[in-house]
């Protein structure tokens, strides 16, 4: 693994354009970790120190970049149908849509550096493989961190509004967030081996011009936290899948025309795991941004569309320059 302060350093500039690589920067750090020639088995892109897995570990021989954005009418109709079901059973379902466009010029390293500079506190990543194309993102979604004492930490992140908006959070956002916190805690307890989850105070977390409700959750067990065991137990959380998960997944499959590929999947190092979010899939000609929202019984289709627009805006603004 090579550590670089800039993606445009000679290490990446001088390698052939078809060489697979993974570059990532941990939250709050300056240096990038870069791995050349990662392996892709159809489900996982693997380097010695990081593994990137597709949504629900679904296998793909290739990942062509989507050409068509999700129509607003289709997204709204899907939301309205899901809301009708949620009014009967309760819970939450997270669906995503695609925003597609074309490049005027192809400059992935410059584009990535500009995007990452705007989000120093996020898990930033850029990777490429001939079978997957390019993926770039700056994810706020901490799935699990295990500290030197063997204690785990995750973050429930759900509920979205404009950054700095005055007043109380809406009932819809509060409900959506509560579902995520409760689901994480119950799934940790169900992992057995004495695992316990303790939710802390709920606060706000900024991401560009929006903010989310955020609750840190500590995870412990008598023998320390096993990274893989807890990731398997809690992912996909209600923040990226829904609740109950067995009801949400069929609704996601019915609502979404295009495969998620890596969107909503996991990025796992030895001590840290993040969800692949706030990301774009691209090749030398086209790009496709993935953005989603959590649907509850009180969701409004127009509001959910606006939420996805706000989440994608920082990335869309940068893509528009290239």
């Amino acid at each position: 693994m090579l550590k670089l302060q800039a993606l445009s350093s000679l290490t990446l500039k001088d390698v052939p354009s078809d060489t697979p690589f993974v570059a990532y920067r941990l939250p709050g750090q300056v240096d990038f970790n870069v791995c050349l020639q990662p392996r892709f088995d159809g489900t996982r892109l693997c380097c010695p120190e990081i593994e990137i897995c597709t949504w629900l570990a679904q296998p793909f021989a290739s990942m062509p970049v989507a050409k068509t954005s999700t129509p607003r009418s289709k997204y709204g109709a899907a939301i309205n149908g899901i809301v009708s079901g949620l009014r009967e059973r309760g819970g939450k379902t997270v669906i995503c849509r695609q925003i597609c466009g074309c490049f005027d010029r192809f400059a992935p390293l410059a584009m990535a550096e500009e995007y990452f500079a705007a989000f120093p506190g996020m898990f930033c990543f850029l990777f490429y493989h001939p079978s997957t194309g390019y993926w770039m993102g700056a994810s706020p979604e901490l799935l699990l961190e295990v500290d030197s004492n063997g204690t785990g930490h995750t973050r429930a992140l759900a509920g979205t509004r404009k950054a700095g908006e005055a007043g109380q959070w809406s009932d819809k956002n509060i409900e959506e967030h509560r579902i995520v916190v409760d689901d994480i805690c119950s799934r940790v307890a169900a992992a057995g081996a004495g695992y316990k989850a303790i939710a802390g105070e709920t606060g706000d977390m900024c991401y560009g011009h929006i903010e989310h409700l955020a609750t840190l959750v500590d995870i412990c067990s008598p023998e320390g936290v096993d990274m893989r065991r807890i990731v398997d137990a809690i992912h996909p959380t209600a923040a990226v899948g829904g609740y109950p998960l067995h009801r949400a997944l069929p609704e996601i499959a019915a609502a979404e025309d295009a495969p998620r590929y890596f969107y909503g999947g996991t990025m796992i190092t030895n001590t840290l795991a993040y969800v692949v979010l706030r990301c774009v899939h691209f090749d030398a000609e086209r790009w496709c941004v993935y953005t989603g929202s959590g649907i509850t019984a009180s969701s409004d289709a127009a509001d959910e569309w606006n939420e996805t627009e706000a989440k994608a805006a920082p990335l869309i603004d940068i893509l528009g320059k290239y």
Side-chain angles (χ1 to χ4, degrees), residues 25-61:
R25 187 189 70 197
L26 301 180
Q29 295 192 3
V30 175
D31 292 344
F32 282 86
N33 297 304
V34 178
C35 175
L36 300 180
Q37 301 290 357
R39 294 175 293 104
F40 180 63
D41 64 5
T43 297
R44 293 174 174 84
L45 188 67
C46 299
C47 287
E49 294 186 19
I50 188 169
E51 174 187 284
I52 306 170
C53 185
T54 61
W55 167 249
L56 301 179
Q58 294 173 342
F60 296 96

Side-chain angles (χ1 to χ4, degrees), residues 65 118 199 207:
V65 178
Y207 190 94

Side-chain angles (χ1 to χ4, degrees), residues 216-281:
L216 289 175
V217 179
D218 293 334
I219 301 171
C220 58
S221 79
E223 299 181 358
V225 171
D226 180 273
M227 170 73 76
R228 296 287 176 166
R229 181 170 187 161
I230 293 302
V231 167
D232 289 345
I234 67 176
H235 181 76
T237 71
V240 295
Y243 176 84
L245 190 60
H246 75 277
R247 299 293 297 271
L249 292 181
E251 292 179 331
I252 291 170
E256 297 177 3
D257 284 339
R260 291 189 175 189
Y261 295 142
F262 281 111
Y263 176 79
T266 55
M267 302 176 287
I268 304 175
T269 72
N270 291 332
T271 60
L272 193 66
Y274 266 73
V275 181
V276 182
L277 291 180
R278 309 295 158 86
C279 59
V280 59
H281 181 207

Side-chain angles (χ1 to χ4, degrees), residues 9-191:
S9 70
L10 294 178
T11 302
L12 282 182
K13 288 180 73 173
D14 286 355
V15 300
S17 60
D18 60 348
T19 301
F21 70 90
V22 176
Y24 66 96
R25 187 189 70 197
L26 301 180
Q29 295 192 3
V30 175
D31 292 344
F32 282 86
N33 297 304
V34 178
C35 175
L36 300 180
Q37 301 290 357
R39 294 175 293 104
F40 180 63
D41 64 5
T43 297
R44 293 174 174 84
L45 188 67
C46 299
C47 287
E49 294 186 19
I50 188 169
E51 174 187 284
I52 306 170
C53 185
T54 61
W55 167 249
L56 301 179
Q58 294 173 342
F60 296 96
S62 64
M63 298 182 181
V65 178
K67 298 179 180 179
T68 307
S69 300
T70 306
R72 181 167 184 166
S73 58
K74 181 174 179 59
Y75 196 69
I79 290 172
N80 290 335
I82 291 170
V83 166
S84 295
L86 293 174
R87 286 173 178 166
E88 296 292 327
R89 67 173 174 85
K92 174 184 175 183
T93 297
V94 181
I95 61 170
C96 78
R97 68 180 181 99
Q98 290 76 39
I99 304 173
C100 301
C102 296
F103 290 114
D104 290 325
R105 61 187 178 96
F106 183 62
L109 299 186
M111 183 174 69
E113 287 188 325
E114 186 173 355
Y115 186 40
F116 298 163
F119 295 99
M122 305 302 159
F123 190 108
C124 295
F125 58 92
L126 173 68
F127 60 85
Y128 166 78
H129 190 278
S131 297
T132 69
Y134 288 87
W135 287 81
M136 179 182 79
S139 177
E141 191 84 19
L142 172 66
L143 186 59
L144 185 64
E145 181 178 16
V146 180
D147 65 25
S148 58
N149 296 319
T151 301
H153 311 278
T154 187
R155 181 166 53 224
L157 201 65
T160 305
R161 69 181 186 181
K162 291 181 180 179
E165 184 175 317
Q168 297 294 318
W169 283 79
S170 70
D171 291 342
K172 185 267 179 184
N173 280 309
I174 292 172
E175 177 194 12
E176 181 184 349
H177 186 75
R178 178 191 55 78
I179 289 171
V180 175
V181 174
D182 291 349
D183 186 49
I184 288 173
C185 291
S186 65
R187 288 164 73 176
V188 168

